[in-house]
C-alpha cells in the first residue's frame, strides 16, 4: 500500500443542476456515490460511538443517555436497549469473535456484556475518572481502556482482571487502540501527544508530539503500518509509525475532527467532524472524494462495516445514519475517472455564458462531491423499530457459570431476526442469536420479562455472599492500586520538574 504524501485543504462546494436550486449540495446521482439507506432513532441524547457486529447483521451504539442499543440491520425488527451504566456511555465495541460487547462510561467503569436477553454484564473497575474508549485485541482475549485519569489499562477478558497499566500521559487519554497484530497499542491524549506502546515490555516506544492541537481519536490502518489521527485543530493526519513520518495532512473540515474509520482496503478514510459533516478521503490520491450531510450538529462517530459495503455515523442530534458505500464496489481507477468527470466536465452553456454580467458559476473547479440525503434518500419511510429494554443485573461472570471466551451455543442470545424468518435463515450462524432462543419472548414486547441472575443456579446463598464479599474487597484493592499509581505519576512529574530546574540553575551558574 502506497499513499501519496501531501496537504489537502478545504474544497469549494459542488453546485449541481436539478439539486433544488443554486447553492444547494448535489444529490447522489452516480452509481458509485454513497447513498443514505435509512436512519435509526432511539437514543435520547448524543450518540457517542457506533460499531458493527463482525457479521455486519447488527449495529451497536452508545449514547450520553446512559444506554447501549443493538439494532438489527434488517427492516421491521426490534431494537434492544441495554441498561447498566450509571452515567453517559462513551464507547462501545463488539469483540472480534462476536461473543461479547464492551462499553465505556463516564461512571468510571467499563463493562463486558453478553448480548443476550438477560442483559448479563460485569463491570471492570479500576479507573478513577471517566472511561473514554474500549478496544478488543484481535483475538478477543484482551481489552484496552483509556480514561481521563491519564492512563491506559489492559484487562484480561476471560478473568475480567486488570493485567497492567500504561501511564506516561500527563492529561486525559481520549482513545487507545490495538494494532491489527495485537503487539502494539496507540493512544492519544489532551497532552498533545500520540504514544505507541510495545505490549511485550509494556513501554512507550514512540512519541508523536503535535504542537498545533491534540488528537480526539486515533486508529491503525488495516495493515498496521500507519495511524490516522483526528485532530482538534480541524486536521486529519496520517503517520507512518515505522519511520515516525507524517505522510498526509488533510485540512478539509471547518471544526474539530472527532473520529475516523479506515475502509478495509486501506484506500479510503471516513472522518466525522463537529462541522456536522462526514467526509470520505481518497488516501491513494491524497484528496477528498465526498462530503456527506445529514446530521444536525457535530458528528461524533463513524465506522465502516467489516467488508466496507456500508458505513454508519452518529452525532449529537441522537441520530444514527446508515449509508451504502457503493464506490467500493467499483474499480478504484473507475471511481476516480467518474469522479473527475463529474467535477470537471463541460456543462452546457446558459444565458450568463453568452452575456456575462456576473462571475461564471461554471468557472469553479471544485474538488469534492457533496451529498445531502434530503435530496436523495433510498428509504426514509422505514418506521423506527420498537425498543425492548434489557436491564443488567448485578452478576459475577465466573468461569464455571458463564464462559466468556467460548460461550455455549445454548445461551439465549438476543434475537435480531426479521419477523417470519425462514428456516434457512434460522440455520445461519448469528452472533446475536442461538437456535434455542425463545422467539416469542422477544417478538412480543408486552410478554417480555427480563430474567435476572442474582441467584446463580447451583450455588448456595452462603457461597454467593462470600463471593460477592471477595469481589468487593478486590474492587477496593484495585481502586487503591489505581490511586497509588496516580500518586506515583504525580511524584515522578515533580521529580522531573525538579531535575529540569536544577539543570537550568547549573547552566545559569556556568554562564
Amino acid at each position: 500500500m502506497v499513499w501519496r504524501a501531501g496537504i489537502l485543504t478545504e474544497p469549494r462546494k459542488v453546485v449541481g443542476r436539478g439539486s433544488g436550486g443554486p447553492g444547494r449540495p448535489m444529490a447522489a446521482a452516480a452509481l458509485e456515490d454513497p447513498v443514505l439507506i435509512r436512519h435509526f432513532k432511539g437514543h435520547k441524547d448524543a450518540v457517542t460511538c457506533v460499531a458493527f457486529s463482525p457479521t455486519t447483521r447488527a449495529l451497536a451504539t452508545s449514547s450520553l443517555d446512559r444506554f447501549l442499543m443493538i439494532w438489527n440491520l434488517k427492516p421491521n425488527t426490534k431494537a434492544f436497549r441495554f441498561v447498566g451504566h450509571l452515567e453517559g456511555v462513551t464507547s462501545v465495541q463488539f469483540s472480534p469473535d462476536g461473543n461479547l460487547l464492551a462499553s465505556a462510561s463516564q461512571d468510571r467503569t467499563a463493562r463486558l456484556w453478553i448480548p443476550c436477553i438477560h442483559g448479563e454484564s460485569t463491570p471492570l473497575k479500576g479507573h478513577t475518572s471517566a472511561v473514554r474508549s474500549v478496544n478488543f485485541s484481535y483475538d478477543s482475549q484482551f481489552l484496552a481502556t483509556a480514561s481521563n485519569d491519564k492512563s491506559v489499562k489492559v484487562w484480561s477478558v476471560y478473568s475480567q482482571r486488570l493485567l497492567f497499566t500504561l501511564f506516561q500521559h500527563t492529561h486525559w487519554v481520549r482513545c487507545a487502540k490495538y494494532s491489527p497484530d495485537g503487539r502494539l497499542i496507540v493512544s492519544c491524549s489532551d497532552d498533545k501527544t500520540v504514544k505507541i506502546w510495545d505490549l511485550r515490555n509494556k513501554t512507550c516506544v514512540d512519541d508523536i508530539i503535535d504542537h498545533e492541537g491534540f488528537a480526539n481519536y486515533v486508529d491503525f490502518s488495516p495493515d498496521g503500518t500507519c495511524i490516522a489521527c483526528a485532530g482538534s485543530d480541524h486536521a486529519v493526519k496520517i503517520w507512518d509509525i515505522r519511520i515516525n513520518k507524517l505522510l498526509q495532512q488533510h485540512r478539509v473540515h471547518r471544526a474539530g475532527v472527532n473520529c475516523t474509520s479506515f475502509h478495509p482496503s486501506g484506500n479510503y478514510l471516513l472522518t466525522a467532524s463537529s462541522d456536522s459533516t462526514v467526509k470520505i478521503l481518497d488516501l491513494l490520491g491524497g484528496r477528498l472524494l465526498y462530503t456527506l450531510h445529514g446530521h444536525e450538529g457535530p458528528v461524533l462517530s463513524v465506522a465502516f462495516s467489516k467488508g466496507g459495503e456500508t458505513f454508519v455515523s452518529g452525532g449529537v442530534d441522537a441520530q444514527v445514519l446508515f449509508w451504502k458505500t457503493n464506490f467500493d464496489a467499483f474499480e478504484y481507477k473507475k471511481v476516480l475517472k467518474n469522479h473527475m468527470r463529474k467535477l470537471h466536465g463541460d456543462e452546457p452553456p446558459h444565458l450568463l455564458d453568452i452575456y456575462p454580467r456576473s462571475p461564471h458559476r461554471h468557472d469553479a473547479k471544485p474538488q469534492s462531491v457533496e451529498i445531502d440525503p434530503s435530496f436523495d434518500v433510498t428509504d426514509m419511510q422505514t418506521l423506527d423499530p420498537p425498543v425492548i429494554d434489557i436491564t443488567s443485573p448485578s452478576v459475577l461472570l465466573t468461569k464455571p457459570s458463564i464462559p466468556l471466551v467460548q460461550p455455549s451455543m445454548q445461551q439465549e442470545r438476543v434475537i435480531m431476526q426479521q419477523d417470519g424468518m425462514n428456516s434457512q435463515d434460522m440455520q445461519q450462524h448469528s452472533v446475536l442469536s442461538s437456535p434455542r432462543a425463545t422467539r416469542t419472548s422477544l417478538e412480543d414486547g408486552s410478554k417480555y420479562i427480563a430474567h435476572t441472575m442474582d441467584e446463580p443456579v447451583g450455588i448456595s446463598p452462603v457461597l454467593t455472599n462470600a463471593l460477592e464479599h471477595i469481589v468487593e474487597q478486590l474492587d477496593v484493592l484495585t481502586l487503591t492500586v489505581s490511586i497509588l499509581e496516580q500518586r506515583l505519576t504525580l511524584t515522578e512529574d515533580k521529580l522531573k520538574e525538579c531535575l529540569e530546574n536544577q539543570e537550568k540553575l547549573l547552566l545559569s551558574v556556568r554562564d
Side-chain angles (χ1 to χ4, degrees):
M1 182 185 304
V2 179
W3 290 338
R4 182 182 300 174
I7 297 178
L8 184 62
T9 57
E10 173 71 27
R12 289 168 287 184
K13 180 177 288 187
V14 172
V15 179
R17 296 168 295 168
S19 62
R24 289 190 173 185
M26 175 166 45
L31 294 176
E32 70 273 10
D33 288 342
V35 175
L36 180 64
I37 301 175
R38 61 179 294 195
H39 61 70
F40 297 94
K41 292 184 178 179
H43 285 294
K44 299 178 181 178
D45 207 335
V47 177
T48 55
C49 190
V50 291
F52 282 97
S53 67
T55 60
T56 67
R57 296 175 63 181
L59 176 70
T61 60
S62 62
S63 171
L64 294 181
D65 62 9
R66 301 182 292 114
F67 304 133
L68 306 178
M69 293 192 70
I70 295 182
W71 314 79
N72 193 328
L73 298 183
K74 291 185 178 180
N76 305 319
T77 52
K78 294 178 175 63
F80 297 83
R81 180 188 292 125
F82 288 80
V83 185
H85 284 293
L86 303 178
E87 297 183 36
V89 187
T90 55
S91 179
V92 65
Q93 190 196 17
F94 279 98
S95 60
D97 60 16
N99 294 323
L100 292 174
L101 196 66
S103 61
S105 172
Q106 294 173 342
D107 64 9
R108 299 184 295 178
T109 69
R111 275 184 179 268
L112 289 173
W113 304 76
I114 297 179
C116 65
I117 61 173
H118 306 312
E120 298 165 5
S121 71
T122 184
L124 302 178
K125 299 179 180 179
H127 286 290
T128 57
S129 189
V131 184
R132 290 293 191 105
S133 78
V134 288
N135 186 242
F136 282 99
S137 59
Y138 75 97
D139 56 3
S140 304
Q141 299 293 316
F142 306 102
L143 183 76
T145 58
S147 169
N148 284 356
D149 64 8
K150 308 176 188 178
S151 72
V152 175
K153 293 184 183 293
V154 176
W155 309 76
S156 166
V157 172
Y158 190 58
S159 64
Q160 303 98 53
R161 291 183 180 179
L162 176 64
L163 297 180
F164 55 88
T165 302
L166 306 173
F167 49 91
Q168 284 189 21
H169 283 294
T170 59
H171 212 303
W172 297 344
V173 185
R174 290 182 172 263
C175 182
K177 295 282 187 177
Y178 273 98
S179 61
D181 60 9
R183 295 187 302 107
L184 304 173
I185 282 180
V186 61
S187 61
C188 61
S189 168
D190 283 16
D191 62 11
K192 297 186 177 181
T193 67
V194 173
K195 296 184 183 294
I196 310 293
W197 307 85
D198 186 345
L199 297 181
R200 289 172 296 185
N201 50 24
K202 305 176 182 61
T203 59
C204 179
V205 294
D206 204 352
D207 207 346
I208 300 173
I209 301 176
D210 192 340
H211 298 286
E212 298 180 7
F214 58 83
N216 288 314
Y217 187 89
V218 66
D219 199 8
F220 280 95
S221 61
D223 63 4
T225 61
C226 298
I227 58 173
C229 300
S232 62
D233 59 350
H234 310 180
V236 178
K237 298 178 181 179
I238 310 295
W239 294 84
D240 188 330
I241 63 173
R242 296 168 298 182
I243 55 178
N244 194 10
K245 180 181 179 181
L246 179 63
L247 295 182
Q248 296 182 12
Q249 182 175 184
H250 302 270
R251 293 189 176 274
V252 295
H253 285 287
R254 299 179 180 177
V257 187
N258 299 313
C259 187
T260 64
S261 179
F262 280 98
H263 187 271
S265 67
N267 296 342
Y268 308 101
L269 185 73
L270 277 176
T271 64
S273 170
S274 294
D275 64 9
S276 77
T277 67
V278 173
K279 294 182 185 286
I280 301 174
L281 304 177
D282 165 26
L283 297 180
L284 293 181
R287 65 195 189 95
L288 177 62
L289 283 181
Y290 295 100
T291 298
L292 310 180
H293 301 267
H295 285 282
E296 299 177 1
V299 188
L300 301 181
S301 183
V302 287
F304 272 114
S305 61
K306 185 176 181 179
E309 304 90 354
T310 56
F311 61 92
V312 288
S313 58
V316 171
D317 57 3
Q319 281 197 104
V320 177
L321 302 184
F322 181 47
W323 305 78
K324 184 173 176 59
T325 306
N326 286 333
F327 58 80
D328 73 330
F330 294 80
E331 292 184 5
Y332 175 75
K333 292 182 179 179
K334 184 178 180 180
V335 171
L336 294 188
K337 182 178 179 181
N338 293 340
H339 186 265
M340 295 301 293
R341 183 184 299 120
K342 283 184 290 181
L343 295 181
H344 302 284
D346 293 328
E347 298 195 23
H350 57 79
L351 186 62
L352 293 181
D353 288 330
I354 303 173
Y355 300 99
R357 297 181 180 177
S358 62
H360 288 202
R361 70 180 181 93
H362 294 312
D363 289 343
K365 297 297 181 181
Q367 299 299 315
S368 74
V369 174
E370 297 206 14
I371 298 174
D372 192 324
S374 61
F375 306 112
D376 184 13
V377 181
T378 302
D379 178 18
M380 294 298 285
Q381 303 300 320
T382 303
L383 297 177
D384 294 332
V387 178
I388 295 177
D389 287 337
I390 299 178
T391 303
S392 174
S394 299
V395 297
L396 172 64
L397 301 187
T398 57
K399 184 174 179 179
S401 60
I402 305 177
L404 291 179
V405 178
Q406 296 178 345
S408 170
M409 289 302 295
Q410 305 302 325
Q411 175 69 42
E412 287 184 312
R413 299 292 176 81
V414 173
I415 303 300
M416 302 295 173
Q417 64 205 31
Q418 183 177 3
D419 294 343
M421 177 182 290
N422 57 41
S423 59
Q424 182 178 359
D425 289 338
M426 284 291 292
Q427 292 174 0
Q428 292 179 352
H429 173 70
S430 172
V431 172
L432 300 177
S433 61
S434 67
R436 297 187 59 183
T438 306
R439 289 184 60 187
T440 56
S441 65
L442 292 176
E443 292 177 354
D444 186 357
S446 61
K447 296 180 181 180
Y448 172 77
I449 300 177
H451 172 68
T452 61
M453 296 192 63
D454 291 328
E455 298 181 0
V457 179
I459 301 179
S460 66
V462 176
L463 181 56
T464 300
N465 292 334
L467 289 173
E468 290 178 352
H469 179 71
I470 292 172
V471 171
E472 290 176 359
Q473 295 299 316
L474 288 174
D475 289 341
V476 172
L477 288 173
T478 303
L479 185 60
T480 303
V481 171
S482 298
I483 294 172
L484 291 174
E485 288 178 348
Q486 190 174 11
R487 291 181 177 177
L488 179 60
T489 302
L490 292 174
T491 304
E492 290 176 346
D493 291 341
K494 290 291 184 182
L495 288 173
K496 185 178 180 180
E497 184 179 351
C498 291
L499 290 173
E500 290 176 353
N501 291 334
Q502 185 179 2
E503 186 177 355
K504 291 179 181 178
L505 286 174
L506 290 174
L507 291 175
S508 60
V509 170
R510 291 176 182 175
D511 294 339

